[in-house]
Amino acid sequence: MQRTSELIMRCLAQMRPGKVLLMNPPADSLFQELEAHGHDVSTWSQDFGASRWFFNNGAKAGFGVVPDLAALPGLISPGQIIPDQVILFQPREKERLEMLLHFLSHAMPAQGCLWLVGENQSGIKSAGKLLESFFGAVRKLDSARHCILYRAQSPAPPEEFRLESYIHKWALDIPSARLRMVSLPGVFAHGRLDRGTEVLLQALAQLKGKNAPKGRILDFGCGIGVIGLSLLVKNPELRLTLLDDSALALESARLSLLANGLQAELLPSDGLAEVRQRFDWIVSNPPFHRGVVSDYGIAHRFFAQARSVLSKQGKMLLVSNNHLPYEAWLAEQFGRVDQLESGSGYKVLRASGSNFS
């Protein structure tokens, strides 16, 4: 069990019996422990992999930007939006926390009680002030093992919650086109173009004719869809799939497609687990974080599984930090790995030549 979940269990005597919603919980046994103590527990996550884990382990599980509790029947009473007890696990981004607190303060009943828990490294020490912006009574319940637990009651939103208030819109100029991008808090490089993706776009602009991506394209870890949309706006004939584990990323990508009059498939997936077709190209700025922790195994597993979703002549194009050993990992799976571009601490790699089954 994660340290944050252990802190919840230390204070369990202060929780009323009844229905409880866990928001963005870690994939551990907390929900089972709470059920064993008589609570009716549901989970909701903005990460598809986590929601799938809870579903596979017998929990009532939902996935999305904010809870659509119609998907969790029996959790709420008629006319009520959120149960009166919620446990929220702190995200690392302050603006995402603010968005979730605003939503909860608007959606919870007057007698609602919110527990906010997080590790010190996620910024939980400063969360009390933010809680006071949305709840009338805030108390620090406990702290242990570099974690803090707050209790907030008397929800008092400063204004009606509107998701649109947290959307950031910005323009991306690429050769011969301008894209209108949309992003939500919690998405990688929220509201800006990160340097790694910029280097990858520069490399893509140099690929012409038969060397350019065509056919079925998978943008893996798509974020708000910058890479995929940059390809699609130049060649609407592409069959593009935007894949991400994050509901926030997929909603941002959907809004970005809509803003540019483009169409693509949106696919929630933890890694490549939900992919059911083969692609001619995979393009990616691969993620390597889970929360605040670096997890390079994400990329390693992604490279190993790519052969199952690429066509026989399929290619992969990606960008990474210079220090990451991606060439060696790609060489384990592909016959040829070329470095196409390098700059500002990043490199662009193209892998090809495997005989996929």
Side-chain angles (χ1 to χ4, degrees):
M1 187 180 289
Q2 297 290 319
R3 292 180 295 180
T4 48
S5 296
E6 291 173 350
L7 193 57
I8 295 294
M9 293 303 299
R10 276 170 50 123
C11 298
L12 192 58
Q14 300 188 54
M15 182 176 290
R16 299 188 299 270
K19 295 174 179 176
V20 180
L21 174 65
L22 304 183
M23 288 187 64
N24 287 337
D28 64 17
S29 61
L30 175 63
F31 82 95
Q32 295 161 325
E33 293 289 340
L34 292 175
E35 289 177 340
H37 283 80
H39 296 281
D40 182 1
V41 182
S42 293
T43 68
W44 187 271
S45 183
Q46 294 171 319
D47 298 317
F48 182 81
S51 69
R52 181 63 70 189
W53 185 91
F54 282 106
F55 178 81
N56 290 338
N57 283 275
K60 289 182 282 188
F63 167 72
V65 174
V66 292
D68 172 11
L69 295 180
L72 298 171
L75 181 62
I76 56 176
S77 303
Q80 184 178 327
I81 302 175
I82 291 287
D84 60 7
Q85 294 187 109
V86 176
I87 301 175
L88 172 63
F89 291 78
Q90 166 143 338
R92 63 176 179 170
E93 306 91 354
K94 183 178 179 180
E95 192 176 357
R96 175 156 62 131
L97 175 60
E98 180 181 353
M99 181 180 75
L100 291 172
L101 292 178
H102 192 173
F103 168 78
L104 288 169
S105 69
H106 172 71
M108 291 181 73
Q111 72 275 17
C113 178
L114 168 68
W115 286 14
L116 174 67
V117 65
E119 298 185 15
N120 292 347
Q121 64 180 348
S122 70
I124 189 67
K125 288 183 177 180
S126 62
K129 288 291 184 182
L130 192 56
L131 273 169
E132 291 172 356
S133 301
F134 298 101
F135 291 83
V138 177
R139 178 187 169 195
K140 182 178 175 181
L141 279 187
D142 200 359
S143 62
R145 299 187 63 192
H146 308 290
C147 301
I148 296 176
L149 172 63
Y150 292 99
R151 182 178 66 196
Q153 297 173 292
S154 303
E159 56 188 18
E160 184 179 358
F161 174 80
R162 294 182 182 276
L163 187 62
E164 294 80 6
S165 301
Y166 292 91
I167 287 174
H168 187 85
K169 299 179 181 180
W170 53 284
L172 172 62
D173 289 313
I174 59 175
S176 71
R178 165 170 277 202
L179 288 169
R180 293 179 290 276
M181 306 307 302
V182 181
S183 63
L184 285 162
V187 176
F188 174 67
H190 172 46
R192 62 182 177 85
L193 179 64
D194 66 284
R195 181 56 181 152
T197 299
E198 183 181 4
V199 172
L200 180 56
L201 294 181
Q202 290 169 358
L204 278 170
Q206 301 303 313
L207 297 178
K208 308 292 184 182
K210 66 179 182 180
N211 293 319
K214 54 184 175 296
R216 293 186 178 273
I217 311 293
L218 174 66
D219 184 348
F220 176 85
C222 66
I224 69 173
V226 168
I227 302 170
L229 268 67
S230 296
L231 291 170
L232 190 59
V233 73
K234 293 180 179 180
N235 184 3
E237 300 300 317
L238 295 178
R239 289 163 288 175
L240 174 66
T241 297
L242 300 169
L243 179 152
D244 209 288
D245 182 60
S246 165
L248 295 159
L250 291 170
E251 177 62 10
S252 299
R254 185 188 72 82
L255 293 171
S256 294
L257 286 165
L258 188 63
N260 292 281
L262 299 172
Q263 293 185 336
E265 178 189 10
L266 298 170
L267 181 62
S269 182
D270 181 16
L272 296 170
E274 305 301 317
V275 176
R276 299 292 182 265
Q277 60 178 302
R278 289 184 181 256
F279 295 91
D280 301 299
W281 282 77
I282 297 176
V283 294
S284 183
N285 182 354
F288 57 86
H289 285 96
R290 289 192 185 274
V292 297
V293 179
S294 295
D295 181 0
Y296 299 113
I298 298 173
H300 194 272
R301 289 187 294 273
F302 165 46
F303 300 158
Q305 296 165 0
R307 63 173 59 221
S308 67
V309 302
L310 277 170
S311 62
K312 187 174 181 179
Q313 302 300 322
K315 297 179 177 65
M316 183 185 295
L317 187 72
L318 60 90
V319 64
S320 79
N321 298 83
N322 279 337
H323 71 276
L324 297 176
Y326 285 1
E327 290 98 331
W329 293 352
L330 287 167
E332 295 171 0
Q333 309 297 333
F334 292 81
R336 179 174 177 174
V337 180
D338 299 305
Q339 181 171 306
L340 301 187
E341 189 153 338
S342 179
S344 302
Y346 293 89
K347 56 192 174 185
V348 176
L349 305 173
R350 181 179 59 198
S352 61
S354 280
N355 294 316
F356 300 113
S357 58

